[in-house]
Amino acid sequence: WWDVDRAAMTAVEERRPVKLQYGLSFYCEGGYLFIRLPSGRRLSYVNPRIVDGKFDKPALVYDGVDQTKKTWGRIDTYGPKLVENIVQAISRDCLAVSMLRLDAAGFRIRMHVHDEVIVDESKEFDSLQEITQIMGQPIDWAPGLPLRAEAFEADFYKKD
């Protein structure tokens, strides 16, 4: 958490790129703080800056939509919150890779919800093992990341 916090603060304050392990990098460009993910996709934070924060410490802020007030304004952030954003984004990227693989294998994906893929197929097919095998395959940009999937069948969408 605190390595991510320092990397983001350094990138904003010194306007230089900062690299961390696992292919994460932080840099400012054109009024944005970017976090490049292992997949190559970027998270972006508008108008990043360092301000006097709580507890007499510098704080990283950016502009965005306040999730409580639903208005545009200043948003405070710090390492643990950025790590949460990074983890969620990497999870989404892993799901996207799995969805492309499932599509290439001929599965009819009807929708996805967070970390779930909903596949539509005839009752005659028993593809749960193949689907979980495909979704658990290693990803080139995430070597060593342990992946696995669970599956179940239902006549309509529901949470397991």
Side-chain angles (χ1 to χ4, degrees):
W1 289 355
W2 303 116
D3 289 346
V4 166
D5 189 78
R6 278 188 296 278
M9 295 279 281
T10 300
V12 170
E13 194 168 45
E14 299 178 15
R15 294 294 196 230
R16 68 174 177 87
V18 179
K19 292 185 178 192
L20 293 181
Q21 68 267 26
Y22 309 115
L24 288 175
S25 62
F26 301 73
Y27 62 96
C28 286
E29 185 178 287
Y32 293 86
L33 166 64
F34 289 105
I35 302 175
R36 183 171 299 281
L37 302 169
S39 66
R41 191 165 66 93
R42 301 180 304 175
L43 300 178
S44 59
Y45 299 84
V46 179
N47 191 24
R49 56 211 179 272
I50 308 296
V51 300
D52 291 332
K54 299 174 187 173
F55 315 114
D56 296 322
K57 289 178 58 177
L60 177 60
V61 300
Y62 63 95
D63 294 338
V65 177
D66 182 298
Q67 294 302 303
T68 305
K69 299 175 190 170
K70 304 296 183 206
T71 58
W72 188 263
R74 184 178 111 170
I75 298 176
D76 298 329
T77 194
Y78 64 116
K81 193 168 150 188
L82 294 171
V83 168
E84 180 183 12
N85 293 166
I86 291 165
V87 168
Q88 290 296 320
I90 291 171
S91 297
R92 176 264 175 216
D93 292 347
C94 290
L95 182 65
V97 169
S98 291
M99 290 175 66
L100 290 170
R101 289 175 176 171
L102 288 168
D103 184 65
F107 290 101
R108 297 180 305 177
I109 299 171
R110 293 300 180 217
M111 63 183 208
H112 66 92
V113 179
H114 299 291
D115 61 350
E116 299 176 342
V117 175
I118 295 84
V119 173
D120 184 21
E121 66 178 19
S122 298
K123 287 186 177 189
E124 303 86 62
F125 294 107
D126 184 11
S127 304
L128 293 181
Q129 186 175 356
E130 185 180 359
I131 290 169
T132 57
Q133 184 274 328
I134 289 170
M135 293 187 74
Q137 291 175 357
I139 297 173
D140 293 342
W141 49 260
L145 180 65
L147 296 171
R148 69 178 187 83
E150 295 178 0
F152 69 94
E153 293 178 343
D155 290 330
F156 53 88
Y157 173 72
K158 66 177 185 173
K159 298 295 282 180
D160 183 25

